[in-house]
């Protein structure tokens, strides 16, 4: 298990880039890391991978501090993709495999499997610079995966991929997750995050403002009722308890803090035919907008 | 595999199969072969064309040929119909000299001294033989009378007589070192900038320490330079031997070649470590050349200073410059190759160079470690040292 505890980072006395960031990722768990640009996602990942030094805080893997030997069992896809442009695809993936500690035969086998799995066969003997950005990204992913890491740290792995690439990557990550690999990835594609993750963290201005499963966050932010009325009397929104928002499509959200659902239902029945009544489960994108606004 | 070797192997494999390296190696071979072979081949164009006019001149043919063979000179003898035909051939450049009736030597302007010596020698030998026969000497007596031991040749000049060759070799060593010191550190810096600007370092440092990356790069580009140097040395020596210059090479050639290798290795470590550190300060490929300004200046100024050293031997400043890094990277091999270096200079020069290399590598590694992972614009060198 990865545990990040009270991570703090400042640059020369300015405002903290990270302020007490804490979260954990279990074995076989996909952790989505979301937040606006500049919130601190990449900084956290770069500290985790030893690219930056934290000002304070601790990171442990299975209860032990992380040194270079441990870090070599991690896979990393940096925010800015970095590959040797004049090296051939297969040669490059193999080379990184050897660098990350595989023996030649293992590296060859893993490389061949990844080239196949990521549909890179047609380009495997070409120099990286001859590939489209999307295909370069697949190579970058292969480099991060080649040594079968136990923890995957992927900074915006889906950006720049076409829909087919997104599906390939998502499927591959689920496979690795099922093999017990812990995965952290950041993304702005919140619907995708919601579909893929087991837990997530929302970071804003260097502070972790929420962590948990999607269900937990929905529960925490979802104390609103979603209703639909037919033949409603004019001005009904002013006569039911709580604040009423138009959710479009004939549906309304009611924030009924201070009233019971029963009070709201009774009031609604006086105003028209109640076609829909129940707790609203907000989409991740709505939770995110609300929390980060 | 060890991280240093992984880095070095990758660079070597990529560079060795790049067109740039192959073209560079090929060009240096062509230049060296041309520099060694052309002057020799041009200078050896010593086939003299001699015309012998009149029956009495024909007796000169055999002694001229014999003297020419003895001197290692080629002659081509012909018999123009008459003097006017011979004069025309001289004017047209078809003949170099003509003997008319064993009495007159004609040439287009003053006769070549070597050629004139040959013909005059043959003429004197023939007539001296004739007179001795008239005095009643037998053929055997005439032959033994005419056989006079040549003067032994002794040079009273300072040095061993190889000054010209040594001078040419010094020029070549300086040019080769200049080329290697300009290109090999540039390769190191370009590699560092590529890895920094593209953030490949972030993927590398999962498994590598900065010093391993730095050492691997120096190892790879240092070895590439050694390969280039070996190609040049082999091409130069091979050409010299194949055009018959073996006897012209001064004694102590292995030492001269050896010190050139030593100078290259030491110089490369010095300039290469500087280049790696300076390369780690910049953020973009296009800034590489300007960042390498101090290395280029050090190489060029040392090269020019070594020129002064080699042309002004015996001055106090020359003694100092010979052992002073970074000038010594050029001056030391130059002084050794030209036979001017004292033993104490070799020892002191190498010791100072080692100290300078250690200082530059320690400082360079510090700058490299602190700069290579930093993003943003170009980093000031003092900022990198302070951390």
């Amino acid at each position: 298990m990865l545990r990040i505890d009270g991570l703090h980072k400042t640059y020369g006395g300015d405002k903290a880039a990270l302020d007490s960031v804490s979260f954990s990722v279990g074995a076989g768990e996909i952790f989505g890391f979301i937040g606006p640009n500049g919130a601190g996602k990449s900084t956290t990942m770069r500290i985790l991978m030893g690219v930056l030094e934290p000002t304070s805080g601790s990171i442990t893997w299975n209860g032990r501090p992380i040194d270079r030997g441990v870090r070599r069992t991690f896979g990393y896809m940096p925010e800015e993709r970095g590959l040797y442009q004049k090296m051939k695809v297969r040669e490059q993936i193999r080379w990184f495999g050897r660098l990350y500690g595989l023996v030649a035969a293992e590296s060859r086998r893993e490389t061949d499997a990844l080239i196949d799995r990521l549909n890179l066969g047609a380009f495997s003997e070409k120099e990286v610079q001859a590939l489209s950005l999307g295909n370069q990204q697949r190579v970058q992913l292969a480099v991060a995966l080649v040594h079968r890491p136990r923890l995957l740290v992927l900074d915006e792995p889906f950006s720049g991929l076409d829909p087919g690439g997104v599906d390939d990557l998502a499927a591959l990550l689920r496979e690795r997750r099922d093999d017990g690999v812990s995965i952290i990835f950041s993304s702005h594609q919140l619907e995708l995050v919601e579909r893929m993750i087991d837990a997530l963290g929302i970071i804003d201005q260097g502070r972790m403002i929420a962590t948990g499963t999607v269900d937990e966050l929905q529960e925490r932010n979802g104390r609103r009722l979603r209703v639909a009325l037919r033949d409603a009397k004019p001005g009904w929104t002013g006569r039911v308890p709580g604040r009423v928002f138009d959710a479009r499509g004939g549906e309304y959200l009611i924030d009924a803090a201070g009233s019971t659902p029963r009070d709201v239902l009774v009031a609604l029945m006086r105003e028209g035919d109640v076609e829909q009544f129940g707790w609203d489960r907000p989409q991740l994108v709505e939770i995110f907008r609300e929390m980060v606004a | 595999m060890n991280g240093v070797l992984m880095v070095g192997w990758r660079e070597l494999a990529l560079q060795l199969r790049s067109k740039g390296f192959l073209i560079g190696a090929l060009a240096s071979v062509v230049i060296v072969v041309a520099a060694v072979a052309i002057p020799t081949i041009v200078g050896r164009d010593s086939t003299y064309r001699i015309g012998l006019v009149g029956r009495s001149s024909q007796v000169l043919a055999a002694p001229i040929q014999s003297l020419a063979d003895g001197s290692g000179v080629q002659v081509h003898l012909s018999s123009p119909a008459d003097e006017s035909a011979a004069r025309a051939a001289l004017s047209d450049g078809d003949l170099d000299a003509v003997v008319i009736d064993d009495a007159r030597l004609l040439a287009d302007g003053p006769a070549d001294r070597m050629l004139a010596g040959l013909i005059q020698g043959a003429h004197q030998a023939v007539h001296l033989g004739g007179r001795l026969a008239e005095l009643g000497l037998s053929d055997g007596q005439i032959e033994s009378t005419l056989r006079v031991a040549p003067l032994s040749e002794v040079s009273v000049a300072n040095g061993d007589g190889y000054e010209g060759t040594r001078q040419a070799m010094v020029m070549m060593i300086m040019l080769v070192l200049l080329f290697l010191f300009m290109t090999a550190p540039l390769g190191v810096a370009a590699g560092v900038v590529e890895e920094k600007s593209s953030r490949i370092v972030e993927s590398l440092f999962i498994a590598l320490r900065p010093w391993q990356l730095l050492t691997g790069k120096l190892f790879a580009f240092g070895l590439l330079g050694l390969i280039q140097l070996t190609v040049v040395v082999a091409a130069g020596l091979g050409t010299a031997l194949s055009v018959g210059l073996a006897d012209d090479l001064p004694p102590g050639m292995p030492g001269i070649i050896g010190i050139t290798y030593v100078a290259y290795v030491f110089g490369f470590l010095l300039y290469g470590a500087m280049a790696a550190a300076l390369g780690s300060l910049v953020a973009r490929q296009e800034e590489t050349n300007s960042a390498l300004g101090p290395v280029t200046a050090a190489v060029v100024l040392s090269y020019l200073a070594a020129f002064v050293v080699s042309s002004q031997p015996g001055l106090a400043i020359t003694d100092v410059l010979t052992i002073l890094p970074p000038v010594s990277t050029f001056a030391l091999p130059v002084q050794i190759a030209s036979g001017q270096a004292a033993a104490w200079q070799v020892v002191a020069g190498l010791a100072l160079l080692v100290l300078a290399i250690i200082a530059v590598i320690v400082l360079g590694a510090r700058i490299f470690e602190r700069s290579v992972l930093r993003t943003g614009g170009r980093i000031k060198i003092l900022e990198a040292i302070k951390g």
Side-chain angles (χ1 to χ4, degrees):
Chain A
M1 174 186 267
L2 175 78
R3 180 178 290 282
I4 292 183
D5 207 13
L7 213 56
H8 203 81
K9 177 72 182 172
T10 51
Y11 294 100
D14 292 345
K15 188 170 159 288
L18 293 183
D19 187 1
S20 298
V21 169
S22 301
F23 61 91
S24 58
V25 186
E29 188 174 289
I30 299 183
F31 183 87
F33 203 18
I34 63 175
N37 292 326
K41 303 184 293 295
S42 295
T43 304
T44 305
M45 291 182 170
R46 296 179 90 215
I47 290 174
L48 171 55
M49 294 312 299
V51 176
L52 287 177
E53 284 290 319
T55 309
S56 62
S58 73
I59 305 177
T60 56
W61 174 247
N62 295 332
R64 296 215 313 263
I66 296 172
D67 58 17
R68 201 173 297 268
V70 172
R71 205 168 267 133
R72 215 156 75 145
T73 67
F74 296 173
Y76 179 42
M77 186 167 179
E79 180 187 21
E80 282 190 48
R81 313 300 183 223
L83 294 168
Y84 290 109
Q85 293 291 313
K86 289 185 179 163
M87 226 172 157
K88 290 176 184 167
V89 169
R90 188 183 301 274
E91 183 186 22
Q92 179 145 208
I93 301 170
R94 265 190 210 170
W95 185 80
F96 270 103
R98 300 289 318 272
L99 187 72
Y100 294 154
L102 298 186
V103 298
E106 281 178 320
S107 186
R108 196 178 312 124
R109 195 173 55 240
E110 290 296 331
T111 299
D112 293 349
L114 280 167
I115 283 175
D116 197 32
R117 187 70 183 75
L118 290 166
N119 295 320
L120 285 166
F123 321 105
S124 63
E125 299 308 323
K126 287 190 173 170
E127 288 182 1
V128 168
Q129 62 187 350
L131 271 58
S132 68
L133 286 178
N135 284 326
Q136 288 192 28
Q137 184 139 333
R138 289 170 190 246
V139 179
Q140 185 86 51
L141 188 73
V143 164
L145 291 169
V146 64
H147 54 310
R148 296 202 79 84
R150 302 310 299 159
L151 171 71
L152 265 174
V153 181
L154 310 172
D155 203 347
E156 298 281 353
F158 293 99
S159 74
L161 288 181
D162 60 23
V166 169
D167 290 345
D168 287 347
L169 174 55
L172 187 55
L173 293 186
R174 284 195 193 101
E175 276 172 28
R176 293 288 167 115
R177 185 254 317 266
D178 294 343
D179 288 343
V181 174
S182 306
I183 300 168
I184 303 177
F185 77 94
S186 64
S187 179
H188 292 295
Q189 291 156 270
L190 299 185
E191 286 167 14
L192 182 69
V193 173
E194 189 170 359
R195 240 178 30 231
M196 284 195 59
I197 57 163
D198 300 301
L200 86 159
I202 302 177
I203 188 168
D204 187 29
Q205 296 181 46
R207 298 175 66 90
M208 209 71 169
I209 55 176
T211 53
T213 64
V214 175
D215 282 348
E216 284 167 354
L217 288 188
Q218 282 175 332
E219 190 75 15
R220 229 176 286 160
N221 295 276
R223 306 308 290 171
R224 291 189 301 193
L225 295 162
R226 182 173 284 268
V227 304
L229 278 186
R230 201 177 57 192
D231 301 331
K233 294 174 185 167
W236 69 272
T237 55
R239 291 190 292 275
V240 295
R243 290 191 300 147
V244 181
F245 307 92
D246 188 347
R248 298 199 185 128
E251 295 182 354
Y252 291 84
L253 291 170
I254 300 175
D255 183 352
S259 308
T260 64
R262 187 174 177 280
D263 295 340
V264 177
L265 181 60
V266 169
L268 284 172
M269 287 170 71
R270 283 200 293 267
E271 301 293 338
D273 295 336
V274 179
E275 287 191 321
Q276 183 186 336
F277 183 85
W279 286 116
D280 177 54
R281 295 188 76 78
Q283 303 286 301
L284 183 57
V285 64
E286 293 170 298
I287 297 172
F288 178 78
R289 284 204 185 108
E290 202 162 297
M291 294 189 83
V292 171
Chain B
M1 197 190 282
N2 178 293
V4 173
L5 291 180
M6 284 294 300
V7 173
W9 171 82
R10 197 199 71 81
E11 291 285 5
L12 266 180
L14 222 58
Q15 295 293 331
L16 281 176
R17 66 173 190 235
S18 75
K19 283 189 191 132
F21 180 81
L22 293 177
I23 290 171
L26 204 62
S28 58
V29 167
V30 170
I31 290 169
V32 169
V33 169
V36 174
I38 289 175
T40 314
I41 291 165
V42 170
R44 195 187 283 163
D45 185 20
S46 52
T47 298
Y48 294 117
R49 293 150 305 172
I50 303 167
L52 301 173
V53 177
R55 186 169 297 169
S56 55
S57 297
Q58 299 307 318
V59 295
L60 298 177
I64 286 176
Q65 190 65 60
S66 165
L67 284 172
D69 291 346
S71 310
V73 175
Q74 301 282 325
V75 290
H76 179 259
L77 298 165
S78 61
S79 303
D82 53 24
E83 183 172 339
S84 61
R87 283 175 179 269
L90 281 173
S91 304
D92 294 345
D94 294 333
L95 289 174
D96 298 308
V98 172
V99 179
I100 310 288
D101 299 331
D102 193 21
R104 285 174 293 140
L105 175 60
L106 274 57
D108 191 19
D112 181 284
R113 291 179 67 86
M114 178 75 173
L115 178 57
L118 272 180
I119 296 172
Q120 296 286 13
H123 169 75
Q124 285 186 7
V126 166
H127 287 275
L128 202 54
R131 286 180 194 176
L132 289 173
E134 284 169 11
L135 291 173
L137 268 62
S138 67
D139 284 354
Q141 288 172 315
I142 293 170
E143 197 185 328
S144 70
T145 308
L146 288 177
R147 195 186 299 134
V148 179
L151 295 173
S152 65
E153 296 179 15
V154 178
S155 169
V156 296
N158 291 325
D160 54 9
Y162 292 102
E163 288 72 21
T165 317
R166 284 182 190 276
Q167 193 58 36
M169 282 175 44
V170 161
M171 292 294 296
M172 204 167 276
I173 289 170
M174 284 184 62
L175 279 174
V176 169
L177 288 179
L178 178 69
F179 171 75
L180 291 176
F181 291 159
M182 294 293 274
T183 53
L186 180 64
V188 175
V192 169
V193 176
E194 180 195 10
E195 283 163 356
K196 182 183 176 181
S197 64
S198 66
R199 309 281 180 88
I200 297 171
V201 280
E202 295 193 11
S203 298
L204 296 180
F205 284 174
I206 295 174
L208 288 175
R209 293 174 195 282
W211 72 262
Q212 289 178 305
L213 183 60
L214 180 62
T215 311
K217 285 221 171 305
L218 288 177
F219 166 71
F221 284 95
L223 202 56
L224 281 170
L226 273 183
I227 293 170
Q228 277 179 314
L229 179 57
T230 304
V231 165
V232 167
V233 167
L237 280 181
T239 311
L241 295 179
S242 63
V243 299
L245 284 178
D247 293 339
D248 295 324
L249 295 176
M253 273 306 290
I256 294 172
I257 293 172
I259 191 64
T260 307
Y261 273 89
V262 172
Y264 163 71
V265 171
F266 282 24
F268 169 76
L269 288 175
L270 188 73
Y271 300 123
M274 282 168 77
L278 292 171
S280 71
L281 295 173
V282 302
R284 296 194 305 270
Q285 288 279 5
E286 52 269 33
E287 293 174 334
T288 313
N289 278 327
S290 68
L292 283 189
V295 180
T296 312
V299 172
V300 172
L301 288 176
S302 299
Y303 173 76
L304 295 175
F307 249 117
V308 176
V309 169
S310 66
S311 61
Q312 304 282 326
L315 298 179
I317 181 82
T318 311
D319 285 347
V320 173
L321 284 176
T322 302
I323 61 168
L324 186 74
V327 179
S328 53
T329 55
F330 286 99
L332 210 50
V334 160
Q335 291 294 76
I336 291 172
S338 56
Q340 310 270 359
W344 71 268
Q345 283 182 312
V346 178
V347 174
L350 290 178
L352 285 177
L353 206 46
V354 168
L355 287 178
I357 289 166
I358 291 170
V360 167
I361 286 183
V362 168
L363 195 64
R366 187 182 169 96
I367 293 171
F368 181 80
E369 286 195 21
R370 293 178 179 199
S371 310
V372 76
L373 278 173
R374 278 179 59 178
T375 53
R378 191 164 165 173
I379 303 159
K380 291 196 177 78
I381 194 160
L382 282 178
E383 202 182 316
I385 293 170
K386 283 180 195 158

